[in-house]
Amino acid sequence: MKNVEKYERGYYMPPVKCMKWAEKEYVDHAPAWCSVDLRDGNQALIIPMSLEEKLEFFTKLVEIGFKEIEIGFPAASETEYEFCRTLIEKNMIPDDVTIQVLTQSREHIIKKTFEAIDGAKNAVVHLYNSTSVAQREQVFRKSKEEIIKIATDGAKLCNEYKKHAKGNIVFEYSPESFTGTEPEFARDICNAVIDIWQPTPDNKVIINLPVTVEMSMPHVYAQQVEYMCDTLHNRENVIVSLHPHNDRGCAVADCEMGLLAGADRIEGTCFGNGERTGNADIVTIALNMYTHGVDPKLDFSDMPSLVELYERVTRMKVYDRSPYSGALVFAAFSGSHQDAISKGLHYRAEKQPDKWSVPYLPINPEDVGRTYDSDVIRINSQSGKGGVAYILEQNYGLDIPKAMREDLGYAVKNVSDVEHKELTHQEVKDIFDKRYIKFNEAFAINGVHFIQEDDKTITASVTIVENGNKITEVDRGNGRLNAVCKVINDHLGLNCDVTTYEEHAMTIGSDSTAIAYVGITDENGKTYFGAGVDPDIMRASIDALESAFNRAIVDSKN
C-alpha cells in the first residue's frame, strides 16, 4: 500500500524488560469482571437503549453473575442520571452488586456524580483524564505537570465528596489512552493519585489501564501492564484493571496476556460492543477460561437468551462466527468434520469419559444452551455421509448401514447442490424416504406366501404387479429373503445378490415399528439400496428388497 511511511508505532515500551508473564501457561483463576455494556457499550449505539431496555439489560447482567456493572456517565445527560437514580430508588441493585459511574476530573461533574449515586450501598466512582502524548500535545496542549494536576485535583475532590457520601464508595482512576502514554509517565500520574487516595486492605483503589486505542501487539501491552504492576505504589492495596478496545482485533488477547502480567480485573462488554471496533468481549474471555477448566464465575449457560436480549435492546447483531455465541460457531458443513464429530459423540456415549474431547468442538454446545441436532451438524452440498447419517439417527432413530451411507450422502449433496441451499432435517428425511422407502416405479410386490420345505429350504410364492398386470411366481431359497430375491431375479432376468442387510426397531414395545435396510449387488459389482418400514420385520425386509430392485431397474435405464 502507498503512504506507509506516514505511520509509525505510537506506543512506548517500558524502560526495563518485563517478561515474567511469558513464563505462565494460562490464566488460572477468574478476574474481577466489570460489565461496561450500559455505559461504554450504550454510548456506541446508533440508537442508545431506553430506560426500560437498560433496566432489562442490567437485570440480565446480574443474572449472569456480574458483581460490578458500570451503569453510565450520570453527569453527561439526564437520561444517564435518571437510570442511576431509578436503580437506587427502586432498590434494583442486589447487596452484592456494585454499580460504577464515570466522571471526568472536573468539579461540577464530580459533584453531579456523587449526587447521582446518593443512597447506593456499593459504588465505584471512576475518575479519568487523558494522558497520552497525542492528547497532551494536540488536544489539551498541556505539560506533564499540568496533566498530573488535573488528575490529582480530581482525586482530592473525590476524597472531599466521599466524606459526606453514604454507602461503600471505591475509587477508580484511568489514565485514558494509556497505550499511547510513556509507561514512566503513566506510572507517575497513577502513583500521584494513589498517594492522595491512600488505599488500605479494607479500602482498595482500582487503577485501570485502558487500551483506549489499540496500538501494539498484545505482548507489548502485557509488558506495559507488568511494568505498572511492578512500580505502582501500595500495590497490595491496588486492584489493577484492564479495559482494552479492539482497533487491531486483539482485545481478547490483550486481556488474557494482561492477566498473565498481573492484572486483577477486566472491564468489557458482552459480545464486544463499544466505540469504533468495540471493547474486549467478556463472553469470549470467560469461556476461553472455561475450556481450560477454570471457572470464570460468570454463567453463560443460556447463551440463546442473552443473544436474543442483546440483539433486541442494542439493535446490533451477534456475528454468526463470533466465538461461543454466533449462530454457526458449532455448525459443521464439511463432510470430514461431520464424520469426525459424529464419531466423537458416539465415542463419548460409549466410553463416558470424564473430560470433554470431541473433534472440532472445543466446548460442549450444551454447556452454553445449544443443541447437537440443530446447531452442530448442518447439511448442504459440502456435507458428507457421516453428517447425513447423524442427522437421521438423532432426529428419526434411523441407524443407516455404513455400506449405504455413501449412496445416501451423494443423493443429499446432489439435492442441496442443485437447489443451492442448506437442507433442513425434514428435507434430508424426505430424500431418504423418496429414494429408499416404497420406491416401486417399475414393479411392486403385492403379496408373498412361504412354505417351509425342510430345515434349509424355503419356497416363496410372490405376486408381482407390473404395468397393471399381476403375476405370481415361485422359487426356492435358503431363507425367506433369499427365496424372494430369486423370484425377482428370475422375473426381471437379473443376477443380483443381497450383500447388505440390517434391521432395527424404531420404537420400543410389542407394537414397535421396524425398519430394514437391503443392498443388492449386480454382476457388474454395482450396489443398489432400499429400505422398508413395517411392524412385521419380514414385510419391512421384502419392501426394502423391492425398493432396491426398483432402484436397479430405474438406474439401468438412465
Side-chain angles (χ1 to χ4, degrees):
M1 292 178 64
K2 296 181 180 179
N3 303 318
V4 67
E5 65 278 356
K6 71 181 179 183
Y7 292 100
E8 62 180 1
R9 294 177 293 278
Y11 59 85
Y12 300 87
M13 293 292 290
V16 294
K17 184 178 180 180
C18 298
M19 291 292 292
K20 295 190 295 293
W21 63 271
E23 299 173 2
K24 301 177 183 178
E25 182 181 349
Y26 64 99
V27 178
D28 61 4
H29 66 279
W33 302 103
C34 178
S35 162
V36 296
D37 290 271
L38 301 174
R39 198 279 300 172
D40 203 342
N42 185 60
Q43 77 179 35
L45 298 176
I46 297 173
I47 304 174
M49 287 178 269
S50 66
L51 175 61
E52 292 73 19
E53 289 169 336
K54 291 183 79 171
L55 291 172
E56 184 181 6
F57 205 159
F58 179 86
T59 300
K60 186 66 172 179
L61 292 170
V62 170
E63 178 187 314
I64 289 168
F66 283 98
K67 301 303 180 185
E68 298 177 40
I69 302 172
E70 189 169 75
I71 60 170
F73 194 150
S77 73
E78 192 58 34
T79 300
E80 297 284 280
Y81 186 88
E82 181 187 3
F83 176 51
C84 182
R85 295 309 309 159
T86 299
L87 288 173
I88 296 169
E89 292 169 6
K90 291 190 175 182
N91 198 29
M92 297 182 66
I93 308 167
D95 290 345
D96 63 345
V97 172
T98 298
I99 59 169
Q100 179 170 305
V101 288
L102 188 68
T103 178
Q104 293 175 336
S105 188
R106 301 167 68 184
E107 182 170 10
H108 71 285
I109 295 178
I110 293 173
K111 179 177 183 291
K112 183 78 170 179
T113 300
F114 274 87
E115 291 173 357
I117 62 173
D118 182 47
K121 294 177 181 177
N122 299 289
V124 172
V125 174
H126 183 182
L127 177 74
Y128 77 95
N129 68 304
S130 296
T131 62
S132 69
V133 174
Q135 292 272 16
R136 296 195 317 257
E137 293 179 350
Q138 301 173 35
V139 180
F140 296 99
R141 302 195 177 190
K142 291 183 181 294
S143 67
K144 290 181 178 179
E145 292 73 22
E146 290 172 311
I147 294 296
I148 290 177
K149 188 175 187 303
I150 292 174
T152 54
D153 285 351
K156 292 173 184 177
L157 284 168
C158 286
N159 275 346
E160 290 301 312
Y161 280 103
K162 183 178 179 178
K163 292 177 182 178
H164 308 286
K166 301 173 184 178
N168 177 38
I169 306 296
V170 174
F171 290 148
E172 175 177 350
Y173 174 69
S174 287
E176 190 196 15
S177 300
F178 166 75
T179 45
T181 304
E182 309 93 320
E184 302 95 320
F185 180 59
R187 171 203 64 198
D188 291 344
I189 195 167
C190 289
N191 281 336
V193 171
I194 291 170
D195 291 345
I196 291 169
W197 281 343
Q198 288 294 303
T200 67
D202 296 326
N203 186 28
K204 294 186 177 183
V205 300
I206 301 167
I207 294 297
N208 189 51
L209 305 176
V211 184
T212 310
V213 178
E214 197 171 37
M215 297 178 171
S216 70
M217 294 175 69
H219 76 288
V220 172
Y221 181 58
Q223 293 181 69
Q224 294 167 338
V225 171
E226 184 175 303
Y227 176 77
M228 294 296 287
C229 288
D230 288 345
T231 58
L232 289 176
H233 291 176
N234 211 344
R235 173 65 179 93
E236 67 276 12
N237 296 321
V238 172
I239 298 167
V240 175
S241 178
L242 310 178
H243 184 122
H245 280 252
N246 201 41
D247 300 270
R248 290 171 57 91
C250 298
V252 168
D254 284 336
C255 286
E256 292 180 328
M257 292 189 182
L259 290 173
L260 293 178
D264 311 295
R265 183 176 183 266
I266 297 291
E267 293 186 351
T269 60
C270 294
F271 313 119
N273 179 37
E275 294 282 13
R276 304 182 312 280
T277 55
N279 286 273
D281 178 5
I282 287 181
V283 173
T284 298
I285 302 166
L287 290 176
N288 281 353
M289 292 180 189
Y290 184 72
T291 63
H292 281 169
V294 177
D295 184 358
K297 307 299 184 183
L298 294 174
D299 184 0
F300 292 111
S301 60
D302 189 5
M303 191 67 72
S305 73
L306 176 59
V307 170
E308 185 281 325
L309 183 149
Y310 170 83
E311 293 187 335
R312 174 165 47 82
V313 302
T314 66
R315 290 90 175 163
M316 301 283 282
K317 177 76 170 62
V318 174
Y319 174 48
D320 286 346
R321 302 291 183 187
S322 183
Y324 306 111
S325 56
L328 296 178
V329 296
F330 299 114
F333 291 100
S334 161
S336 61
H337 289 205
Q338 290 175 347
D339 184 59
I341 291 171
S342 175
K343 289 175 178 174
L345 294 174
H346 280 100
Y347 178 87
R348 283 191 62 79
E350 176 188 350
K351 303 292 186 180
Q352 297 291 309
D354 293 333
K355 301 296 184 182
W356 176 262
S357 177
V358 173
Y360 302 110
L361 293 179
I363 188 174
N364 185 343
E366 292 179 335
D367 289 341
V368 290
R370 303 285 287 273
T371 59
Y372 297 117
D373 59 345
S374 61
D375 290 312
V376 176
I377 305 296
R378 306 278 291 267
I379 304 300
N380 65 12
S381 60
Q382 305 303 307
S383 302
K385 58 185 180 181
V388 172
Y390 181 83
I391 289 296
L392 293 176
E393 179 183 7
Q394 294 298 308
N395 293 277
Y396 304 101
L398 303 180
D399 187 6
I400 308 298
K402 290 183 179 180
M404 188 178 184
R405 292 181 183 184
E406 185 172 2
D407 184 78
L408 171 60
Y410 279 117
V412 171
K413 284 163 65 82
N414 183 63
V415 172
S416 178
D417 194 30
V418 170
E419 299 187 9
H420 203 63
K421 69 172 188 176
E422 179 184 357
L423 301 179
T424 66
H425 296 170
Q426 185 58 54
E427 286 173 323
V428 173
K429 176 62 162 52
D430 291 344
I431 293 169
F432 174 84
D433 290 348
K434 182 178 180 181
R435 184 171 181 83
Y436 303 113
I437 295 180
K438 286 295 183 183
F439 182 78
N440 51 18
E441 294 188 13
F443 72 93
I445 295 175
N446 185 256
V448 180
H449 298 283
F450 296 105
I451 299 174
Q452 186 78 44
E453 299 287 348
D454 52 44
D455 291 343
K456 297 181 180 180
T457 306
I458 295 286
T459 297
S461 175
V462 181
T463 301
I464 297 174
V465 179
E466 187 177 23
N467 298 323
N469 299 316
K470 287 185 181 181
I471 184 172
T472 300
E473 297 190 7
V474 178
D475 210 327
R476 294 178 176 83
N478 56 16
R480 295 186 179 189
L481 198 63
N482 179 254
V484 175
C485 182
K486 285 188 172 183
V487 170
I488 299 174
N489 271 321
D490 291 344
H491 177 76
L492 298 175
L494 298 176
N495 184 21
C496 295
D497 293 323
V498 175
T499 51
T500 298
Y501 178 81
E502 292 186 23
E503 64 183 59
H504 63 80
M506 297 180 66
T507 56
I508 299 173
S510 59
D511 59 345
S512 64
T513 299
I515 183 168
Y517 310 91
V518 169
I520 59 171
T521 302
D522 65 17
E523 54 193 3
N524 297 317
K526 188 168 183 179
T527 301
Y528 304 91
F529 294 96
V533 177
D534 199 89
D536 180 349
I537 189 58
M538 192 64 239
R539 182 68 242 186
S541 302
I542 292 170
D543 287 346
L545 188 67
E546 172 191 304
S547 293
F549 270 104
N550 271 279
R551 174 62 60 191
I553 295 170
V554 171
D555 284 1
S556 67
K557 294 179 180 177
N558 293 333

